[in-house]
Amino acid sequence: MCKPAIFDPLEWAYVRSLAISLLPELSFHRDEEATRTAASLEGVDIGVLKDFDWGEPVVYMPPFEKVVGGSVVVAVEGYSARKLATRGIKPDVVVTDLDFEPEWVGAGRVVVAHVHGDNYWRVPKRDWVYTVQTWPRGCTFNISGFTDGDRAVYLAYYMGAERIAVSGFYPYATVKRADSLKQRKLFVAAHLLARLSRRVRIDFV
């Protein structure tokens, strides 16, 4: 039976407070509605991810170039899933909020889709793991993090990773756009990854 779970309430509270203070123009006021929508999608339990070996995962973020070995392959967004697929690599997990080449998220074995106040009306009902950024309900989960990239690393950490390789995190090399909002999101991501690196070894390649 699928039960909602929040992996670290205090970390979630910290991340949410930071994000709201730095990115007040985002639709945080719609996050509760987003969570209700995610619960209605009847996704799959996050326990399916435990079938993978999370000892030394590798997380690929846009715009990665270097391919390295890892016990589980995590692609951030459909963009990274596509790039891996063109190199003959099938991602084990795709972490996404469906805003960067969403047609490619199915290239992975398991999709972890994030539902929030700016996308909940366009998230489809699939056999996916649905994450949210409020207190979870139904078959939804809160793994903390804010951007898809740092959320993927939080996921690896909570799945038991001892060492995480990250390929493609270049805070000053934006792919989709280079406006102020994107730069502030990347600042939050960099801060959270630095914070998480005090708990688990993260190697940027």
Side-chain angles (χ1 to χ4, degrees), residues 58-162:
V58 55
V59 176
Y60 291 97
M61 302 184 186
F64 83 88
E65 291 299 335
K66 189 172 182 179
V67 174
V68 296
S71 60
V72 58
V73 176
V74 181
V76 174
E77 291 284 20
Y79 174 92
S80 296
R82 173 183 58 77
K83 286 190 69 173
L84 288 168
T86 60
R87 300 183 185 196
I89 301 170
K90 185 178 182 65
D92 296 302
V93 181
V94 178
V95 176
T96 180
D97 69 352
L98 302 170
D99 73 349
F100 200 4
E101 301 191 19
E103 66 274 15
W104 278 92
V105 299
R109 293 181 172 86
V110 178
V111 176
V112 178
H114 190 62
V115 187
H116 55 72
D118 288 302
N119 78 343
Y120 67 94
W121 56 86
R122 56 184 173 84
V123 177
K125 183 175 182 179
R126 299 283 191 271
D127 290 331
W128 292 350
V129 175
Y130 292 106
T131 60
V132 296
Q133 54 192 40
T134 67
W135 199 269
R137 59 172 63 90
C139 195
T140 66
F141 309 91
N142 187 318
I143 58 174
S144 200
F146 183 68
T147 72
D148 289 312
D150 62 83
R151 191 180 308 108
V153 179
Y154 270 96
L155 175 65
Y157 168 67
Y158 289 131
M159 288 294 110
E162 299 173 358

Side-chain angles (χ1 to χ4, degrees), residues 23 62 146-147 150 169-175 177 180-192:
L23 301 154
F146 183 68
T147 72
D150 62 83
F169 183 66
Y170 313 124
Y172 302 105
T174 55
V175 181
R177 61 181 187 274
S180 171
L181 178 61
K182 182 63 175 179
Q183 290 296 336
R184 280 178 285 143
K185 285 183 176 181
L186 288 173
F187 173 83
V188 171
H191 173 79
L192 294 178

Side-chain angles (χ1 to χ4, degrees), residues 15-70:
V15 171
R16 186 169 178 82
S17 176
L18 177 69
I20 290 174
S21 67
L22 293 178
L23 301 154
E25 65 267 53
L26 297 183
S27 301
F28 296 104
H29 61 287
R30 293 201 295 251
D31 282 344
E32 287 292 347
E33 177 63 24
T35 297
R36 287 192 290 271
T37 298
S40 74
L41 298 176
E42 300 177 345
V44 299
D45 193 274
I46 201 167
V48 300
L49 298 176
K50 295 180 180 179
D51 291 338
F52 300 117
D53 176 5
W54 288 94
E56 295 189 358
V58 55
V59 176
Y60 291 97
M61 302 184 186
F64 83 88
E65 291 299 335
K66 189 172 182 179
V67 174
V68 296

